[in-house]
Amino acid sequence: MGYLVAGNWKMNKTVGETLEYLELFLPAVKDLTKVEIMIAPPFTALSSASIKLDAARREGEYNVKLGAQNMYYEEKGAFTGEISPLMLTELEVEYVILGHSERRHIFGERDSLINKKVISAVEHGIRPILCVGETIEEREQGRTLSVVERQIRNGLAGVERDLVYIDIAYEPVWAIGTGVNATPEQAQEVHRFIRSLINEISKGNDHKTRILYGGSVNEKNARELIREPNVDGFLVGTASLDPERFYKVITEVLEV
Ligand code: PGA
């Protein structure tokens, strides 16, 4: 699989702002076909973005996939405020970010819930990006690899045979939105560990699982990070909010 560069917009951009963004962004990236590009707008903008991407596809400018930032695991029912996999597939959403550190730490999502979502996404043909990563305290206590191992083993329980349909994002919590990215060496250490772990879990059948790095990725540090073996793309927050900056991150990846 080629590189994936995904933009996580978090709770940013109205429908109008999403459409303005795509107006600039889609023509700019239409020829950048060597890298897979995904944007994850908030739920309220997914429908408009989907229609816009559909129109762009017909004009030959389609090179951007749609992702959701979260999902509940049931198809429908009394789950106030939640969004189901069927609601996403109807909009041709191809990816879903699951277990993001903000979901874990602000909204209290635990491995067991995230695992149910991962299973449901795979069952519905939506490719999950399972996010894992340690807090600064866990890193300082030397627990980085054990935390990541626990999140991955628990998050992937029951879908060990389906790893070809899943990507992982390593996002150290201390690097998210702080402007302090992991060094290439720090990223590499964890990515290498994740690669061997998913190799073991999948019994060698992991060749399509990408390991993305996330945490203060921008147009200045993207190249040195993507050069590392086992870094198969990025999950970009802040720098993905500006179409020009996101475009630059993507072109840095293409330089490698
Ligand atoms: P950031 O966010 O690029 O702003 O650090 C990354 C993420 O949370 O996915």
Side-chain angles (χ1 to χ4, degrees):
M1 297 271 273
Y3 290 124
L4 169 64
V5 183
N8 174 13
W9 291 3
K10 311 191 180 182
M11 198 175 73
N12 292 289
K13 297 197 190 294
T14 61
V15 172
E17 289 164 345
T18 299
L19 293 175
E20 272 171 38
Y21 182 107
L22 292 176
E23 204 66 45
L24 290 171
F25 186 64
L26 293 180
V29 298
K30 77 173 175 8
D31 297 322
L32 307 184
T33 50
K34 290 211 175 103
V35 54
E36 205 173 331
I37 302 166
M38 182 272 263
I39 52 157
F43 287 128
T44 48
L46 278 180
S47 175
S48 308
S50 178
I51 292 166
K52 179 87 184 154
L53 289 176
D54 212 41
R57 182 193 299 142
R58 274 184 261 113
E59 286 166 25
E61 284 188 0
Y62 181 75
N63 185 34
V64 176
K65 295 183 174 165
L66 203 52
Q69 299 174 17
N70 189 19
M71 183 193 94
Y72 197 56
Y73 60 87
E74 295 284 3
E75 290 191 343
K76 61 180 174 180
F79 305 103
T80 302
E82 294 295 317
I83 297 289
S84 92
L86 297 183
M87 297 168 186
L88 298 180
T89 51
E90 184 187 33
L91 302 179
E92 296 179 16
V93 167
E94 294 181 59
Y95 284 89
V96 62
I97 299 168
L98 293 175
H100 188 278
S101 84
E102 286 144 21
R103 298 299 322 168
R104 292 177 189 265
H105 296 291
I106 304 175
F107 301 102
E109 290 198 12
R110 309 187 78 88
D111 285 341
S112 53
L113 174 64
I114 296 162
N115 175 240
K116 286 185 178 138
K117 296 181 178 194
V118 169
I119 294 170
S120 174
V122 169
E123 277 172 5
H124 288 87
I126 308 172
R127 194 173 177 94
I129 299 176
L130 172 65
C131 301
V132 298
E134 81 287 2
T135 62
I136 191 65
E137 294 78 20
E138 289 162 341
R139 174 162 282 265
E140 284 167 0
Q141 292 161 0
R143 292 168 54 214
T144 298
L145 299 185
S146 63
V147 167
V148 165
E149 176 168 2
R150 188 207 77 221
Q151 291 172 334
I152 290 186
R153 284 194 192 277
N154 291 346
L156 297 179
V159 284
E160 293 86 351
R161 289 164 173 274
D162 299 311
L163 284 193
V164 290
Y165 304 114
I166 298 171
D167 294 314
I168 309 277
Y170 169 56
E171 299 204 300
V173 178
W174 47 272
I176 295 177
T178 57
V180 182
N181 59 287
T183 64
E185 296 71 32
Q186 286 171 324
Q188 177 54 214
E189 184 198 5
V190 182
H191 280 237
R192 192 186 319 114
F193 174 73
I194 295 174
R195 177 62 67 201
S196 66
L197 188 61
I198 56 183
N199 225 327
E200 178 221 309
I201 292 173
S202 69
K203 303 199 167 43
N205 188 27
D206 74 324
H207 49 280
K208 284 197 174 152
T209 300
R210 284 169 297 202
I211 308 169
L212 313 179
Y213 169 77
S216 296
V217 173
N218 59 38
E219 62 280 24
K220 297 200 179 79
N221 58 27
R223 199 182 302 192
E224 60 173 15
L225 285 162
I226 202 72
R227 278 207 185 113
E228 293 293 323
N230 297 312
V231 176
D232 306 315
F234 295 127
L235 185 54
V236 188
T238 312
S240 76
L241 292 176
D242 173 348
E244 277 180 38
R245 288 188 76 193
F246 195 38
Y247 169 82
K248 281 189 196 149
V249 171
I250 296 161
T251 54
E252 286 299 306
V253 170
L254 283 168
E255 289 295 320
V256 176

